[in-house]
Amino acid sequence: MKNTGTTERLLTKIQHHVVTSSKLPLPRAPIREIFADFTLTPLATGMQAYVYRIEDTNYVLKEGRWDLDIPVTSKTNIRIHPTMAGLILNTVSYPFLPTEQEVARQFKLFNILRQYFGYAHTDKHPTFKTSATLLRKQKAVRVNLPAMFHEIQDEYKIQMKRELHDILLGDNVKHPNTLTKSNFLPDEVLLYGESIHPKQSGKQTFYIVQEFVDGQRMADIKSDAQPENIKSKLYLFAYLVLYMHMETSYVPDLRPRHLASPKEWFTGTDNIVITEDDVRFIDTRLLWNTEDKPIQRGLIIPDLNLGAVKHFLRDA
């Protein structure tokens, strides 16, 4: 259960160690000292991070991994030793391990993601303060959404759902215009410091303190079972994917739970959590650039992401 006093203590402790710029060197946070008085309960192991629940708060802690764990099917994972992982990734010139340079690079990507999928409120705790510049960018994106409808249709050669058009215009009672101001990102901040995981002793890595989203992974919900309010937000989320890609060439990571399930890209992803009345994107550090070289862009990963989103938005 969330404890207000514990949460306030956590946010106060991390506030002065938050990474606010991608400029190197990144500030080192005394990770063990910060979390010494908090109970960290292992919650999950993602492909890039170990995830802990920070007990008595409404936050999780994501610790960057120095090994790889690739989910192929529901029964098969490929785990690669850190040394071998580094050799493989260096060979293909693809950054993945949480080196300081890679953490800084991913922080830049996070700020691109925030511009399109975030919609900050000014009453947040000071730890999660959003700059005035980013606030202006977020509002500009949302104001431009209706005007971009036909241009995005032409760019991606699809006829999008009329319902999405109504959502963007806010021209009916069912979809009030406030929907276009939806925030799809949980509150989070970045720290950088020594690993606390026993398998990574002595390694420097990233830590993301992220708001815990209590809901179901999209992969666990049948798409035709989504209530109307959630479907509307998913339409808007998918539309923002195309909008961001058209302007930046970046695509968020919408892979399915198991890579051997290509038909479930987007609708079968674990990176989106559905609550009773909201949609949250929780994997905020991996974006794919379709302008990169084939290996760096993850081969056809961004194309599969875009294809799934277009299919979701296409007017049947």
Side-chain angles (χ1 to χ4, degrees):
M1 182 179 294
K2 178 181 176 182
N3 182 299
T4 304
T6 307
T7 297
E8 182 64 32
R9 186 159 51 88
L10 170 69
L11 299 183
T12 300
K13 275 202 163 192
I14 67 176
Q15 186 173 346
H16 299 294
H17 301 287
V18 169
V19 175
T20 58
S21 167
S22 58
K23 184 179 178 180
L24 298 176
L26 300 177
R28 261 56 170 182
I31 299 298
R32 292 184 184 279
E33 178 184 325
I34 290 173
F35 294 102
D37 297 330
F38 297 93
T39 301
L40 303 179
T41 303
L43 185 63
T45 300
M47 196 166 72
Q48 282 191 291
Y50 297 108
V51 186
Y52 311 90
R53 183 70 190 266
I54 308 175
E55 297 296 344
D56 297 324
T57 75
N58 195 37
Y59 295 93
V60 297
L61 181 67
K62 297 182 176 181
E63 176 187 2
R65 295 180 59 182
W66 277 88
D67 56 348
L68 292 179
D69 193 8
I70 303 174
V72 179
T73 69
S74 59
K75 297 180 180 179
T76 306
N77 278 19
I78 300 177
R79 179 160 295 180
I80 305 175
H81 187 275
T83 302
M84 184 60 69
L87 290 173
I88 292 171
L89 295 169
N90 285 336
T91 299
V92 299
S93 302
Y94 184 75
F96 195 98
L97 302 180
T99 63
E100 187 173 11
Q101 291 79 7
E102 175 60 8
V103 173
R105 186 188 75 88
Q106 289 189 11
F107 184 69
K108 286 183 181 179
L109 298 184
F110 172 58
N111 283 323
I112 294 174
L113 191 73
R114 290 173 75 192
Q115 180 178 338
Y116 289 87
F117 292 90
Y119 199 89
H121 300 283
T122 55
D123 59 349
K124 294 292 184 182
H125 190 279
T127 302
F128 303 107
K129 185 178 180 180
T130 301
S131 70
T133 300
L134 180 57
L135 283 170
R136 286 195 297 271
K137 289 180 178 179
Q138 289 177 340
K139 290 179 180 179
V141 165
R142 301 309 172 94
V143 168
N144 288 336
L145 290 179
M148 300 303 294
F149 186 81
H150 296 295
E151 185 174 340
I152 290 175
Q153 282 196 140
D154 293 342
E155 175 72 18
Y156 294 97
K157 297 178 174 57
I158 59 170
Q159 184 71 34
M160 290 187 285
K161 295 180 183 295
R162 176 70 194 185
E163 184 178 4
L164 172 63
H165 187 259
D166 293 342
I167 290 169
L168 298 177
L169 292 178
D171 60 0
N172 61 46
V173 177
K174 190 175 182 180
H175 301 296
N177 199 44
T178 53
L179 185 63
T180 61
K181 299 177 181 178
S182 299
N183 173 44
F184 292 103
L185 302 179
D187 289 335
E188 68 175 65
V189 290
L190 171 67
L191 307 174
Y192 184 73
E194 188 173 340
S195 179
I196 58 176
H197 195 281
K199 292 183 179 180
Q200 304 188 151
S201 179
K203 293 280 191 181
Q204 298 290 316
T205 191
F206 70 79
Y207 289 88
I208 296 172
V209 178
Q210 185 182 82
E211 176 188 4
F212 175 70
V213 183
D214 190 8
Q216 287 183 285
R217 301 297 179 104
M218 195 163 164
D220 294 322
I221 308 174
K222 292 182 178 180
S223 57
D224 57 358
Q226 306 279 16
E228 287 301 315
N229 64 319
I230 296 299
K231 283 182 181 178
S232 296
K233 289 197 174 186
L234 287 172
Y235 291 151
L236 177 59
F237 182 95
Y239 183 70
L240 284 165
V241 171
L242 299 184
Y243 188 18
M244 183 176 77
H245 177 258
M246 187 174 70
E247 293 198 331
T248 70
S249 298
Y250 282 107
V251 185
D253 193 34
L254 301 171
R255 287 172 296 167
R257 179 174 295 170
H258 308 296
L259 297 184
S261 304
K263 293 183 179 180
E264 296 175 359
W265 289 68
F266 183 48
T267 57
T269 186
D270 272 328
N271 293 341
I272 294 177
V273 175
I274 307 295
T275 69
E276 184 177 347
D277 58 0
D278 225 336
V279 174
R280 285 287 192 272
F281 184 68
I282 60 171
D283 191 357
T284 57
R285 283 306 191 277
L286 186 56
L287 300 182
W288 304 95
N289 190 333
T290 54
E291 296 300 314
D292 280 342
K293 294 178 181 179
I295 292 296
Q296 290 176 310
R297 73 196 292 271
L299 299 175
I300 61 171
I301 287 178
D303 301 299
L304 289 171
N305 283 326
L306 287 172
V309 165
K310 288 191 290 184
H311 178 76
F312 184 76
L313 289 176
R314 189 172 286 116
D315 190 13

